[in-house]
Amino acid sequence: MSDLLFNAMYLLHLISVVLVALYGVHRLVLLREWLGVRRRRGGVAAVPDEVPVVTVQLPLYNEEAVAERLIAAAGALSWPLDRLEIQVLDDSTDGTREVVDQGVARLTARGVTASVLRRPSRKGYKAGALAAGLEEARGDYIAVFDADFIPPSDFLLKTMPRFTSPGIGMVQARWGFLNDETSLVTGVQALTLSAHFDIEHATRHAGGRFFNFNGTAGVWRKEAIIGAGGWRADTLTEDLDLSYRAQMAGWRLAYYGECVVPSELPPTLTDFISQQQRWTKGASQTAVKVLPRLLSTALPRRVKVEAIFHLLGGLGWVAGAVATVTLWPALMVHGTRAASLAWIPGVAALTGSCGAILFYYTVYAFTEPRTRHLVRYVPMIPLVCIGVAPFLARAAVQGFFQSHGEFKRTPKYGTSKDTATRETAGAGRATFGRAMVAFVLLVATACPMLFALDTLALYAIPLALAVPAGYLLTGAILARESRFAGECAPSSLDPFAR
């Protein structure tokens, strides 16, 4: 019975490392395409002669630290006042309500058309708020900004000309980051998110494949939202869901990376994991909802293949987590010293994938001037990915079997490179139990490292060190955040903070 169990674990291990390796290969394919695409960046287009009415929607829920900043930035957008409408979709239950009312009053006093929409309940969460606002919006185009974004005054001047044909349903801008060098946590986020926009969005858009609205810093054609079935709350990623439904309905989405909208990154690992869990679970829910129908259409194969990698990206977290926790049981299949040969399949696939990911981000960071200052965070990306994989894997699996779910907002602190945090970190949300999970996995995955040393499997030592190091890093940061919750600013919770 034990032999059967261990053989099953070994088979599971091999399957998981193959999936991880596929993820690495896909990164390299995207990188190769991006190196060609980046040379074909579009120029500046002119604003259309007939200026359309644009409604700017600002969905808020208990964002007292950043609401005033967002409303002021929206009111400063360069666009004819008679062609601009601002909707603050405020579901708040705290002091944010007063901040919103005061901010909107200041705008209306300047002649800006601005209003506050409040619902009796948070039904549908952000999707419900956007849908309610859409019913009253007078604009033919809908711009959306989350609370932690600061739209530049020329945002509409840059994005609206990108609606070059009636078939374009949405234009997505690139995210910029106010606190990208605050700590290891924000540095890794900034680098990976920058690659998401510059490589993934750019190549998918240029190659005629599906990509997505990121929920903020973009403009929708109102007709496209309605034609695709409107905002729906049956997934945690209403933006991804609407994007795929719109593209399957025949609308084209456009990405314009030359327009950058500054934003605030989650400053704690706790908040980062919570945000990623929502995104990962929502992507799985969207895959279950739209992927079967998409695969049955007559769309080109390249569109279907990329959609599989995109929507099922959560399986990469599942595979990564399984690969690390099954490494030691897999080795026990073959005994003691002779088992060094058992490392070969797993080590080759995992090391190759980690190498591909390091190569992907290194080439990107050095090639893209806007992210060159983040290159020092590249070596830490595999460690952070290893450490958070079990938590995101759980969210991915839940998404395949659960629809809906609670939309847990990511806390905003109003941080920037030049200002101190106005709110102490809610790091207590990272329960000490989550840190303990990371430490348990540290102990479990340290065994293969000792085994590699004992069997002189020197080629396996780098990987054997990286896995427990990833769990050690995650556990240490989470434990520190839990210990100092409410006592210090978010940036100082990270032991690697500057």
Side-chain angles (χ1 to χ4, degrees):
M1 183 67 180
S2 60
D3 289 342
L4 181 63
L5 177 62
F6 282 119
N7 277 298
M9 295 287 283
Y10 186 53
L11 178 61
L12 184 62
H13 175 73
L14 291 181
I15 293 173
S16 65
V17 297
V18 168
L19 289 175
V20 172
L22 283 176
Y23 176 81
V25 170
H26 181 246
R27 296 289 99 182
L28 294 181
V29 171
L30 290 177
L31 179 65
R32 184 189 64 180
E33 293 185 22
W34 173 71
L35 291 173
V37 167
R38 67 184 300 271
R39 302 187 184 97
R40 306 197 301 267
R41 286 176 175 170
V44 178
V47 176
D49 294 333
E50 186 176 346
V51 179
V53 178
V54 178
T55 296
V56 179
Q57 293 187 324
L58 311 176
L60 299 178
Y61 175 65
N62 294 350
E63 310 287 4
E64 189 173 0
V66 293
E68 180 181 0
R69 180 181 70 182
L70 172 64
I71 294 171
L77 288 170
S78 297
W79 204 250
L81 289 183
D82 63 334
R83 306 271 91 188
L84 179 66
E85 175 190 37
I86 296 176
Q87 289 183 338
V88 182
L89 312 176
D90 185 23
D91 285 344
S92 300
T93 58
D94 64 358
T96 305
R97 297 168 71 95
E98 182 178 353
V99 174
V100 166
D101 291 339
Q102 292 174 353
V104 170
R106 283 190 288 269
L107 294 188
T108 56
R110 288 170 32 210
V112 179
T113 301
S115 61
V116 182
L117 280 74
R118 292 193 171 103
R119 303 182 297 156
S121 71
R122 285 190 74 206
K123 182 179 180 182
Y125 301 106
K126 180 180 176 181
L130 292 171
L134 190 68
E135 293 180 359
E136 300 186 25
R138 67 183 183 93
D140 295 321
Y141 294 86
I142 310 295
V144 181
F145 298 102
D146 282 347
D148 47 344
F149 283 71
I150 308 176
S153 61
D154 61 353
F155 174 81
L156 294 177
L157 297 178
K158 288 184 175 180
T159 54
M160 291 304 296
R162 296 292 145 183
F163 288 94
T164 54
S165 77
I168 295 180
M170 189 277 300
V171 175
Q172 174 68 55
R174 186 188 189 274
W175 294 3
F177 309 105
L178 297 167
N179 56 337
D180 56 355
E181 295 185 272
T182 299
S183 66
L184 167 69
V185 174
T186 60
V188 168
Q189 288 180 76
L191 184 55
T192 54
L193 282 171
S194 294
H196 165 71
F197 283 95
D198 291 335
I199 298 181
E200 294 178 42
H201 273 6
T203 55
R204 287 166 180 160
H205 173 222
R209 290 162 290 185
F210 287 4
F211 76 103
N212 64 290
F213 170 56
N214 290 93
T216 179
V219 185
W220 277 92
R221 191 187 296 270
K222 185 177 182 180
E223 182 185 356
I225 298 176
I226 297 173
W231 295 104
R232 297 179 183 174
D234 52 351
T235 74
L236 290 178
T237 47
E238 71 293 322
D239 43 14
L240 179 63
D241 172 38
L242 177 61
S243 299
Y244 267 78
R245 285 188 283 114
Q247 289 169 109
M248 291 168 64
W251 293 95
R252 289 181 290 118
L253 309 187
Y255 172 64
Y256 187 48
E258 299 308 301
C259 180
V260 180
V261 182
S263 66
E264 174 190 331
L265 292 162
T268 68
L269 186 59
T270 298
D271 296 334
F272 168 65
I273 290 176
S274 296
Q275 181 189 68
Q276 291 295 317
Q277 284 180 320
R278 173 163 54 83
W279 290 356
T280 302
K281 184 176 181 178
S284 295
Q285 292 171 331
T286 303
V288 172
K289 178 180 178 179
V290 307
L291 198 53
R293 185 157 55 94
L294 185 150
L295 295 178
S296 66
T297 66
L299 288 166
R301 181 181 300 176
R302 71 178 188 279
V303 173
K304 295 179 179 180
V305 171
E306 190 61 32
I308 290 173
F309 274 103
H310 187 191
L311 295 179
L312 297 179
L315 289 180
W317 295 115
V318 176
V322 171
T324 60
V325 299
T326 59
L327 189 54
W328 176 238
L331 294 178
M332 294 183 64
V333 172
H334 296 275
T336 55
R337 291 185 179 275
S340 59
L341 293 177
W343 283 86
I344 295 177
V347 167
L350 283 177
T351 303
S353 181
C354 288
I357 293 172
L358 284 172
F359 181 76
Y360 173 85
Y361 285 110
T362 300
V363 171
Y364 166 68
F366 275 113
T367 305
E368 174 54 57
R370 292 179 294 193
T371 57
R372 205 164 289 160
H373 65 290
L374 300 173
V375 69
R376 66 181 180 276
Y377 296 109
V378 170
M380 305 306 297
I381 290 177
L383 299 184
V384 173
C385 289
I386 289 170
V388 303
F391 307 111
L392 304 192
R394 181 172 179 265
V397 172
Q398 287 177 333
F400 289 122
F401 298 100
Q402 299 176 2
S403 60
H404 304 282
E406 181 184 359
F407 189 105
K408 297 181 179 179
R409 60 176 284 276
T410 305
K412 318 297 191 304
Y413 305 105
T415 58
S416 73
K417 293 177 181 178
D418 304 312
T419 60
T421 302
R422 286 184 276 171
E423 199 175 304
T424 56
R429 280 177 293 272
T431 62
F432 192 69
R434 183 181 282 174
M436 288 299 98
V437 168
F439 287 132
V440 168
L441 290 172
L442 162 65
V443 174
T445 55
C447 296
M449 179 182 64
L450 299 176
F451 180 87
L453 293 172
D454 183 55
T455 58
L456 299 180
L458 302 181
Y459 57 89
I461 289 178
L463 178 64
L465 285 172
V467 174
Y471 290 127
L472 174 61
L473 176 66
T474 301
I477 295 178
L478 288 174
R480 185 177 178 85
E481 289 178 359
S482 179
R483 177 185 175 189
F484 290 103
E487 296 181 15
C488 50
S491 60
S492 64
L493 293 172
D494 190 332
F496 295 86
R498 290 171 47 176

